[in-house]
Amino acid sequence: MPDPIREAALDQLARAAYSLSAADSRLRGRATRTPGALSLTHARALRVLADTGPLPIGQLAAATETTGAATTQLVNGLAAAGYVTRERPVDDKRSVLVTLTDIGRRRHHERQTALAQALDTALAHYETTALDTATDVLRQLAAIYDQL
């Protein structure tokens, strides 16, 4: 038997997910027009490189959950901003190793600090269990989007 309250809550969740997607699109637009602005994909790539160290394009693509072609474009933009370098390993001339620069590491740290502060401020009234639930819901939404 349908539960109208649950259906309304799921509808609100779907609408919030659309709003999040629209906000991501606006952020990507700002990242293409504003020097120093980072899209979520750019920030994700910087975070992966900060966490793992240098990676070949294919591994960076997998870690950032993007395609190889999209990652190549992403790396081009990050390299133009001075955030990463591309080098060919001596033992493998076919691959490209992407390395975070000192400027990129600083930019990553600035972005992470700003994000952590914004999350802490905006979500201060939520208990840790609610934040854990939100994390699970977001991951489930990502899985649903991959199935659509």
Side-chain angles (χ1 to χ4, degrees), residues 34-90:
T34 308
L38 291 176
S39 70
L40 293 177
T41 307
H42 288 107
R44 201 166 52 240
L46 294 181
R47 182 174 193 159
V48 165
L49 292 170
D51 289 348
T52 65
L55 288 174
I57 292 276
Q59 288 180 21
L60 182 59
T64 58
E65 303 180 55
T66 56
T67 65
T71 302
T72 298
Q73 281 188 312
L74 172 70
V75 168
N76 288 343
L78 292 172
Y83 297 150
V84 301
T85 59
R86 289 176 288 217
E87 298 173 13
R88 294 213 183 269
V90 176

Side-chain angles (χ1 to χ4, degrees), residues 16-30 38-40:
Y18 284 140
S19 291
L20 180 61
S21 177
D24 178 50
S25 293
R26 290 188 299 273
L27 179 57
R28 275 182 293 170
R30 284 193 308 275
L38 291 176
S39 70
L40 293 177

